[in-house]
Amino acid sequence: MMSQMPQPTALSRCPSCEEPLDAGDRFCGACGYDLSAVPAPPVDNPTITMNGSSPRPPSAVASVDWPLAPEVDSSDTPAPLHRAMDIQGTDSGGSELPHPHPESAHPHREPAGVRFDRPAQPDEYPLAPPAAEPAAGPTAGPTAGPSAGPAAGTAAGTADPRTADLGTPPAGTKLCVACRSGHVDSDGYCENCGHAQPRERDHMEQELGAVAAVSDRGLRHHRNEDAFAISSTALPDGSPAVVAIVCDGVSSATRPDEASLAASRAAGEALLEALPLGTHPQQAMHDAIVAAAEAVNALADASTAQGEHAPHVNAPACTIVGAVVTPTLLIVGWVGDSRAYWVPVDRSSLPARLTEDDSWAAQMVAAGLMNEAEAYADERAHAITGWLGADAYELEPHTASFKPDRPGVVVVCTDGLWNYAEAAEEMAEVVPLDAAERPLHSAQVLVGHALDGGGHDNVTVAVVPFPAPPQGAGSA
């Protein structure tokens, strides 16, 4: 049977990364996408639980009994910008967090400022090598395709990486991860087979002893749009404070990867500056979220502002969730649908979800228009109603303060993880029992859980043991 050669594309933009294309292009110059066979849109959506069933609503954990946070001078605390949650929490003044009562809502009307994240994307992003061309010299020749036999790819001097002695590459150069024989050029592509090389943010890990984080591109996205920042510092009395910030870029926005990176860095730096000065951790978290929002707003350009003239261009945007852990206090802050969970070391004690999503489903439940099962089964359940970005409807940082009475870990993560462990009990089941002693290993296990479940989204998780250990001073 005759082989069918790939045909030049007639597309104007790459269906993977929307990079402009030239007539006759067979592969995207930005991400290496094979343009000869554009797959049909998938039936799934990465923001919805990918287990073939309706998403489970968050579990009630009202029975968790934690002491109130210590009282502080109200002049050093933020305005009460909290959302109700399914656990009892207090603001930094010791007052119980109020339950929201939306002024108006309608079961058939979208809440103001709803943003539907995650546009439809192909199920796979193949990075096939260019079609074979006639040999032009002793080092040129056809390359082996993914189904070629052991002898393929050896013509005209192209060595079979499974049998050839590849030698040591020159200093300062990298070998291709696909063919293991070609050198990688400055654009990140193999000069031999044309494969795009993994980018630095495709998989990231960091450990500081008192906190660890892992971020992975996942199995369906062509890039990682998540980012994190972890650090530790000392409070004025010398006690440690450990910081974890996790951000998830809004895929339907422009440059979401830049937004998440800018937000995580700005929030982390703001906390490292404020905490040693004696700012109450809850006030510092509030201010850090504001700083992150300003950093994301600064990414918007003139073309973004002309939304009515360029509806396909949206301001860079992301969600944010963070935690500050001290020897006695646990502070969380967030905007969007990234979450923080509490998992006690003693698994006979109840775990808890510490944040409430800025999402369509959460608003419907809070307004009394739907019960949790109905709201989370709706296809609009994961549409976010709060985010950081120049086009955000309203910036409302949420913060909460807790004083756990037992050791545990705080899991700070994007929906790429909690889509596969939504309820607090489900998250506790997949967190290793030794998470407090091995936070990096635990973060790796949690990312692996999401990848094993399908990896439909970028996955980022930070694991922070509580209480903060004495050796937590220092930063990175």
Side-chain angles (χ1 to χ4, degrees), residues 21-393:
L21 302 172
D22 296 329
D25 281 353
R26 291 178 178 172
F27 297 88
C28 175
C31 68
Y33 187 80
D34 185 355
L35 302 170
S36 62
V38 179
V43 296
D44 56 73
N45 186 313
T47 56
I48 298 178
T49 304
M50 298 298 170
N51 57 6
S53 62
S54 300
R56 294 178 56 182
S59 60
V61 289
S63 59
V64 175
D65 184 16
W66 285 342
L68 299 179
E71 294 186 3
V72 298
D73 184 358
S74 61
S75 63
D76 191 33
T77 60
L81 298 173
H82 306 89
R83 283 291 181 97
M85 312 158 36
D86 50 2
I87 65 172
Q88 170 133 5
T90 66
D91 61 20
S92 56
S95 302
E96 182 176 347
L97 298 180
H99 291 271
H101 296 286
E103 296 297 333
S104 62
H106 191 280
H108 303 295
R109 183 180 304 157
E110 305 296 349
V114 174
R115 184 165 208 155
F116 288 87
D117 193 9
R118 310 291 189 263
Q121 300 189 32
D123 280 349
E124 298 178 354
Y125 290 89
L127 298 177
E133 297 180 358
T139 59
T143 57
S147 59
T154 60
T158 303
D160 183 349
R162 289 161 291 191
T163 59
D165 181 7
L166 301 179
T168 303
T173 62
K174 296 181 180 179
L175 281 180
C176 173
V177 298
C179 71
R180 301 302 301 169
S181 61
H183 295 163
V184 179
D185 61 23
S186 59
D187 293 330
Y189 291 85
C190 177
E191 296 175 341
N192 178 52
C193 69
H195 270 76
Q197 304 301 294
R199 286 161 287 199
E200 180 181 0
R201 289 179 64 178
D202 283 356
H203 185 87
M204 301 178 291
E205 297 185 358
Q206 187 179 3
E207 182 180 36
L208 298 180
V211 58
V214 176
S215 181
D216 193 271
R217 185 185 69 177
L219 305 179
R220 300 296 183 94
H221 280 246
H222 70 281
R223 65 181 174 186
N224 190 357
E225 297 169 356
D226 289 356
F228 67 80
I230 59 174
S231 57
S232 59
T233 187
L235 301 177
D237 62 359
S239 60
V242 182
V243 173
I245 301 292
V246 168
C247 296
D248 183 358
V250 177
S251 293
S252 58
T254 303
R255 293 147 48 214
D257 53 330
E258 296 181 31
S260 62
L261 186 61
S264 61
R265 288 178 174 175
E269 292 170 359
L271 285 166
L272 288 181
E273 180 180 351
L275 292 172
L277 298 178
T279 306
H280 188 278
Q282 190 169 354
Q283 176 70 55
M285 177 63 74
H286 176 274
D287 295 344
I289 294 177
V290 173
E294 293 174 349
V296 177
N297 292 349
L299 297 176
D301 54 30
S303 62
T304 303
Q306 305 300 322
E308 66 277 12
H309 303 299
H312 62 286
V313 178
N314 294 315
C318 69
T319 66
I320 187 171
V321 61
V324 174
V325 171
T326 74
T328 58
L329 280 178
L330 163 59
I331 307 295
V332 295
W334 73 98
V335 172
D337 63 349
S338 293
R339 294 181 176 179
Y341 291 83
W342 163 258
V343 179
V345 169
D346 178 7
R347 297 304 169 87
S348 64
S349 302
L350 289 176
R353 177 156 66 90
L354 306 178
T355 58
E356 179 183 305
D357 299 343
D358 287 322
S359 70
W360 182 91
Q363 283 202 2
M364 293 299 102
V365 174
L369 300 174
M370 291 183 176
N371 61 37
E372 289 181 339
E374 294 171 339
Y376 283 87
D378 194 284
E379 62 181 4
R380 298 166 290 182
H382 290 270
I384 58 175
T385 57
W387 61 88
L388 306 183
D391 62 348
Y393 176 73

Side-chain angles (χ1 to χ4, degrees), residues 373-442:
E374 294 171 339
Y376 283 87
D378 194 284
E379 62 181 4
R380 298 166 290 182
H382 290 270
I384 58 175
T385 57
W387 61 88
L388 306 183
D391 62 348
Y393 176 73
E394 181 181 5
L395 175 62
E396 185 182 4
H398 315 299
T399 63
S401 174
F402 304 97
K403 190 177 182 182
D405 61 354
R406 64 204 68 194
V409 295
V410 185
V411 177
V412 186
C413 64
T414 62
D415 60 346
L417 171 61
W418 66 252
N419 272 331
Y420 300 100
E422 187 166 353
E425 291 81 3
E426 293 175 321
M427 185 64 71
E429 288 177 0
V430 296
V431 173
L433 296 176
D434 60 353
E437 289 75 33
R438 303 174 66 193
L440 177 58
H441 172 259
S442 299

